[in-house]
mmCIF file of all heavy atoms in Angstrom:
data_model
loop_
_atom_site.group_PDB
_atom_site.id
_atom_site.type_symbol
_atom_site.label_atom_id
_atom_site.label_comp_id
_atom_site.label_asym_id
_atom_site.label_seq_id
_atom_site.Cartn_x
_atom_site.Cartn_y
_atom_site.Cartn_z
ATOM 1 N N LEU A 1 120.668 99.194 117.297
ATOM 2 C CA LEU A 1 120.323 98.289 116.351
ATOM 3 C C LEU A 1 121.412 97.178 116.333
ATOM 4 O O LEU A 1 122.585 97.407 116.249
ATOM 5 C CB LEU A 1 120.188 98.827 115.016
ATOM 6 C CG LEU A 1 119.850 97.918 113.744
ATOM 7 C CD1 LEU A 1 118.596 97.158 114.003
ATOM 8 C CD2 LEU A 1 119.962 98.692 112.448
ATOM 9 N N VAL A 2 121.027 95.916 116.471
ATOM 10 C CA VAL A 2 121.888 94.866 116.510
ATOM 11 C C VAL A 2 121.526 93.886 115.374
ATOM 12 O O VAL A 2 120.301 93.636 115.013
ATOM 13 C CB VAL A 2 121.771 94.013 117.852
ATOM 14 C CG1 VAL A 2 122.789 92.820 117.794
ATOM 15 C CG2 VAL A 2 122.171 94.945 118.984
ATOM 16 N N LEU A 3 122.537 93.424 114.646
ATOM 17 C CA LEU A 3 122.412 92.332 113.552
ATOM 18 C C LEU A 3 123.162 91.116 113.941
ATOM 19 O O LEU A 3 124.449 91.298 114.242
ATOM 20 C CB LEU A 3 122.873 92.910 112.258
ATOM 21 C CG LEU A 3 122.901 91.916 111.109
ATOM 22 C CD1 LEU A 3 121.488 91.438 110.761
ATOM 23 C CD2 LEU A 3 123.602 92.465 109.870
ATOM 24 N N THR A 4 122.614 89.981 113.994
ATOM 25 C CA THR A 4 123.265 88.690 114.245
ATOM 26 C C THR A 4 123.296 87.862 113.022
ATOM 27 O O THR A 4 122.323 87.736 112.313
ATOM 28 C CB THR A 4 122.889 88.046 115.548
ATOM 29 O OG1 THR A 4 121.441 87.557 115.337
ATOM 30 C CG2 THR A 4 122.889 88.958 116.759
ATOM 31 N N GLY A 5 124.347 87.040 112.976
ATOM 32 C CA GLY A 5 124.380 86.048 111.888
ATOM 33 C C GLY A 5 124.769 84.676 112.401
ATOM 34 O O GLY A 5 124.746 84.407 113.649
ATOM 35 N N ALA A 6 125.138 83.723 111.527
ATOM 36 C CA ALA A 6 125.350 82.332 111.911
ATOM 37 C C ALA A 6 126.366 82.189 112.860
ATOM 38 O O ALA A 6 126.380 81.206 113.810
ATOM 39 C CB ALA A 6 125.679 81.573 110.598
ATOM 40 N N GLY A 7 127.361 83.091 113.035
ATOM 41 C CA GLY A 7 128.486 82.960 113.921
ATOM 42 C C GLY A 7 128.067 82.876 115.422
ATOM 43 O O GLY A 7 128.776 82.279 116.280
ATOM 44 N N ILE A 8 126.933 83.567 115.750
ATOM 45 C CA ILE A 8 126.617 83.610 117.176
ATOM 46 C C ILE A 8 125.929 82.316 117.573
ATOM 47 O O ILE A 8 126.129 81.826 118.687
ATOM 48 C CB ILE A 8 125.598 84.788 117.470
ATOM 49 C CG1 ILE A 8 125.466 85.048 118.900
ATOM 50 C CG2 ILE A 8 124.251 84.587 116.728
ATOM 51 C CD1 ILE A 8 124.654 86.292 119.285
ATOM 52 N N SER A 9 125.276 81.589 116.666
ATOM 53 C CA SER A 9 124.597 80.318 116.886
ATOM 54 C C SER A 9 125.497 79.161 116.747
ATOM 55 O O SER A 9 125.255 78.065 117.288
ATOM 56 C CB SER A 9 123.324 80.270 116.092
ATOM 57 O OG SER A 9 122.337 81.166 116.566
ATOM 58 N N ALA A 10 126.541 79.312 116.010
ATOM 59 C CA ALA A 10 127.416 78.211 115.766
ATOM 60 C C ALA A 10 128.030 77.745 117.036
ATOM 61 O O ALA A 10 128.343 76.559 117.332
ATOM 62 C CB ALA A 10 128.537 78.575 114.768
ATOM 63 N N GLU A 11 128.180 78.688 118.053
ATOM 64 C CA GLU A 11 128.844 78.364 119.247
ATOM 65 C C GLU A 11 127.851 77.655 120.164
ATOM 66 O O GLU A 11 128.223 76.954 121.134
ATOM 67 C CB GLU A 11 129.263 79.639 119.978
ATOM 68 C CG GLU A 11 130.545 80.291 119.429
ATOM 69 C CD GLU A 11 130.983 81.409 120.257
ATOM 70 O OE1 GLU A 11 131.470 81.115 121.408
ATOM 71 O OE2 GLU A 11 131.025 82.529 119.863
ATOM 72 N N SER A 12 126.621 77.573 119.780
ATOM 73 C CA SER A 12 125.533 76.800 120.547
ATOM 74 C C SER A 12 125.446 75.392 119.886
ATOM 75 O O SER A 12 124.527 74.636 120.340
ATOM 76 C CB SER A 12 124.331 77.492 120.548
ATOM 77 O OG SER A 12 124.275 78.709 121.420
ATOM 78 N N GLY A 13 126.161 75.104 118.898
ATOM 79 C CA GLY A 13 125.993 73.815 118.185
ATOM 80 C C GLY A 13 125.033 73.807 117.036
ATOM 81 O O GLY A 13 124.794 72.745 116.571
ATOM 82 N N VAL A 14 124.569 74.966 116.554
ATOM 83 C CA VAL A 14 123.676 74.974 115.512
ATOM 84 C C VAL A 14 124.613 74.989 114.229
ATOM 85 O O VAL A 14 125.350 75.841 113.931
ATOM 86 C CB VAL A 14 122.880 76.264 115.529
ATOM 87 C CG1 VAL A 14 121.898 76.262 114.197
ATOM 88 C CG2 VAL A 14 121.963 76.304 116.702
ATOM 89 N N PRO A 15 124.380 73.854 113.340
ATOM 90 C CA PRO A 15 125.236 73.879 112.145
ATOM 91 C C PRO A 15 124.945 75.043 111.204
ATOM 92 O O PRO A 15 123.755 75.411 111.090
ATOM 93 C CB PRO A 15 124.812 72.540 111.428
ATOM 94 C CG PRO A 15 124.199 71.794 112.621
ATOM 95 C CD PRO A 15 123.500 72.797 113.467
ATOM 96 N N THR A 16 125.900 75.669 110.615
ATOM 97 C CA THR A 16 125.706 76.718 109.659
ATOM 98 C C THR A 16 125.232 76.243 108.299
ATOM 99 O O THR A 16 124.617 76.890 107.544
ATOM 100 C CB THR A 16 126.924 77.554 109.582
ATOM 101 O OG1 THR A 16 127.995 76.769 108.960
ATOM 102 C CG2 THR A 16 127.543 78.098 110.950
ATOM 103 N N PHE A 17 125.618 74.986 107.890
ATOM 104 C CA PHE A 17 125.278 74.397 106.684
ATOM 105 C C PHE A 17 125.834 75.152 105.483
ATOM 106 O O PHE A 17 125.639 74.821 104.367
ATOM 107 C CB PHE A 17 123.775 74.260 106.556
ATOM 108 C CG PHE A 17 123.116 73.269 107.379
ATOM 109 C CD1 PHE A 17 122.755 73.632 108.684
ATOM 110 C CD2 PHE A 17 122.970 72.008 107.055
ATOM 111 C CE1 PHE A 17 122.145 72.717 109.520
ATOM 112 C CE2 PHE A 17 122.361 70.976 107.828
ATOM 113 C CZ PHE A 17 122.026 71.390 109.108
ATOM 114 N N ARG A 18 126.734 76.113 105.809
ATOM 115 C CA ARG A 18 127.348 76.822 104.544
ATOM 116 C C ARG A 18 128.888 76.534 104.771
ATOM 117 O O ARG A 18 129.550 77.237 105.618
ATOM 118 C CB ARG A 18 127.095 78.270 104.567
ATOM 119 C CG ARG A 18 127.763 79.019 103.539
ATOM 120 C CD ARG A 18 127.642 80.645 103.682
ATOM 121 N NE ARG A 18 126.208 80.914 103.473
ATOM 122 C CZ ARG A 18 125.685 81.210 102.242
ATOM 123 N NH1 ARG A 18 126.538 81.156 101.213
ATOM 124 N NH2 ARG A 18 124.546 81.562 102.094
ATOM 125 N N GLY A 19 129.401 75.733 103.894
ATOM 126 C CA GLY A 19 130.839 75.361 103.867
ATOM 127 C C GLY A 19 131.588 76.238 102.822
ATOM 128 O O GLY A 19 131.049 76.866 102.038
ATOM 129 N N SER A 20 132.858 76.107 102.860
ATOM 130 C CA SER A 20 133.798 76.805 101.980
ATOM 131 C C SER A 20 133.462 76.394 100.438
ATOM 132 O O SER A 20 133.746 77.087 99.537
ATOM 133 C CB SER A 20 135.228 76.632 102.312
ATOM 134 O OG SER A 20 135.583 75.321 102.248
ATOM 135 N N ASP A 21 132.833 75.131 100.402
ATOM 136 C CA ASP A 21 132.614 74.618 99.006
ATOM 137 C C ASP A 21 131.197 75.018 98.548
ATOM 138 O O ASP A 21 130.751 74.574 97.497
ATOM 139 C CB ASP A 21 132.743 73.168 98.958
ATOM 140 C CG ASP A 21 131.871 72.356 100.040
ATOM 141 O OD1 ASP A 21 131.152 73.047 100.696
ATOM 142 O OD2 ASP A 21 131.975 71.173 99.979
ATOM 143 N N GLY A 22 130.592 75.761 99.299
ATOM 144 C CA GLY A 22 129.109 76.177 98.881
ATOM 145 C C GLY A 22 128.113 75.233 99.025
ATOM 146 O O GLY A 22 127.039 75.403 98.490
ATOM 147 N N LEU A 23 128.384 74.185 99.782
ATOM 148 C CA LEU A 23 127.335 73.097 99.925
ATOM 149 C C LEU A 23 126.707 73.168 101.302
ATOM 150 O O LEU A 23 127.414 73.547 102.340
ATOM 151 C CB LEU A 23 127.985 71.687 99.777
ATOM 152 C CG LEU A 23 128.745 71.433 98.416
ATOM 153 C CD1 LEU A 23 129.295 70.169 98.453
ATOM 154 C CD2 LEU A 23 127.717 71.636 97.253
ATOM 155 N N TRP A 24 125.497 72.703 101.400
ATOM 156 C CA TRP A 24 124.695 72.528 102.689
ATOM 157 C C TRP A 24 124.503 71.056 102.905
ATOM 158 O O TRP A 24 123.599 70.558 102.184
ATOM 159 C CB TRP A 24 123.482 73.325 102.676
ATOM 160 C CG TRP A 24 123.620 74.834 102.871
ATOM 161 C CD1 TRP A 24 124.819 75.494 103.077
ATOM 162 C CD2 TRP A 24 122.595 75.842 102.918
ATOM 163 N NE1 TRP A 24 124.484 76.844 103.181
ATOM 164 C CE2 TRP A 24 123.163 77.021 103.149
ATOM 165 C CE3 TRP A 24 121.177 75.716 102.877
ATOM 166 C CZ2 TRP A 24 122.452 78.190 103.185
ATOM 167 C CZ3 TRP A 24 120.461 76.852 102.909
ATOM 168 C CH2 TRP A 24 121.131 78.153 103.027
ATOM 169 N N GLU A 25 125.152 70.511 103.821
ATOM 170 C CA GLU A 25 125.040 69.095 104.016
ATOM 171 C C GLU A 25 124.966 68.221 102.750
ATOM 172 O O GLU A 25 124.120 67.430 102.587
ATOM 173 C CB GLU A 25 123.743 68.835 104.842
ATOM 174 C CG GLU A 25 123.810 69.231 106.232
ATOM 175 C CD GLU A 25 124.743 68.345 107.066
ATOM 176 O OE1 GLU A 25 124.395 67.163 107.239
ATOM 177 O OE2 GLU A 25 125.875 68.790 107.449
ATOM 178 N N GLY A 26 125.950 68.494 101.860
ATOM 179 C CA GLY A 26 126.090 67.708 100.592
ATOM 180 C C GLY A 26 125.131 68.312 99.521
ATOM 181 O O GLY A 26 125.132 67.695 98.407
ATOM 182 N N HIS A 27 124.366 69.302 99.828
ATOM 183 C CA HIS A 27 123.408 69.814 98.866
ATOM 184 C C HIS A 27 123.853 71.263 98.420
ATOM 185 O O HIS A 27 124.174 72.069 99.311
ATOM 186 C CB HIS A 27 121.948 69.834 99.332
ATOM 187 C CG HIS A 27 121.456 68.499 99.633
ATOM 188 N ND1 HIS A 27 121.357 67.422 98.735
ATOM 189 C CD2 HIS A 27 121.085 67.849 100.849
ATOM 190 C CE1 HIS A 27 120.846 66.364 99.317
ATOM 191 N NE2 HIS A 27 120.783 66.574 100.667
ATOM 192 N N ARG A 28 123.679 71.578 97.251
ATOM 193 C CA ARG A 28 123.919 72.910 96.759
ATOM 194 C C ARG A 28 122.682 73.831 97.294
ATOM 195 O O ARG A 28 121.597 73.276 97.278
ATOM 196 C CB ARG A 28 124.079 73.057 95.270
ATOM 197 C CG ARG A 28 125.497 72.470 94.824
ATOM 198 C CD ARG A 28 125.836 73.093 93.456
ATOM 199 N NE ARG A 28 127.189 72.667 93.173
ATOM 200 C CZ ARG A 28 128.262 73.361 93.624
ATOM 201 N NH1 ARG A 28 128.079 74.526 94.382
ATOM 202 N NH2 ARG A 28 129.403 73.067 93.268
ATOM 203 N N VAL A 29 122.978 75.000 97.443
ATOM 204 C CA VAL A 29 121.873 75.994 97.891
ATOM 205 C C VAL A 29 120.777 75.786 96.843
ATOM 206 O O VAL A 29 119.553 75.814 97.322
ATOM 207 C CB VAL A 29 122.396 77.404 97.915
ATOM 208 C CG1 VAL A 29 121.341 78.388 98.010
ATOM 209 C CG2 VAL A 29 123.413 77.626 99.128
ATOM 210 N N GLU A 30 121.022 75.799 95.651
ATOM 211 C CA GLU A 30 119.984 75.692 94.604
ATOM 212 C C GLU A 30 119.065 74.475 94.700
ATOM 213 O O GLU A 30 117.949 74.416 94.186
ATOM 214 C CB GLU A 30 120.596 75.694 93.229
ATOM 215 C CG GLU A 30 121.325 77.001 92.896
ATOM 216 C CD GLU A 30 122.749 77.110 93.510
ATOM 217 O OE1 GLU A 30 123.195 76.067 94.015
ATOM 218 O OE2 GLU A 30 123.548 78.062 93.211
ATOM 219 N N GLN A 31 119.548 73.409 95.384
ATOM 220 C CA GLN A 31 118.808 72.196 95.514
ATOM 221 C C GLN A 31 117.867 72.278 96.763
ATOM 222 O O GLN A 31 116.818 71.505 96.760
ATOM 223 C CB GLN A 31 119.735 71.033 95.729
ATOM 224 C CG GLN A 31 120.592 70.726 94.491
ATOM 225 C CD GLN A 31 121.485 69.485 94.722
ATOM 226 O OE1 GLN A 31 122.223 69.478 95.783
ATOM 227 N NE2 GLN A 31 121.404 68.534 93.840
#
């Protein structure tokens, strides 16, 4: 069983949209 997360795709240039401030591209998750 393998589980992958954002770290594997970040190396391909896919933005994670989850920063240390909890915002996704200037928007809170709740938005």
Side-chain angles (χ1 to χ4, degrees):
L1 176 62
V2 177
L3 171 68
T4 64
I8 193 172
S9 291
E11 289 191 63
S12 289
V14 177
T16 63
F17 290 88
R18 179 187 288 275
S20 58
D21 58 359
L23 301 179
W24 282 1
E25 283 295 289
H27 300 294
R28 290 201 169 276
V29 166
E30 294 82 2
Q31 293 178 307

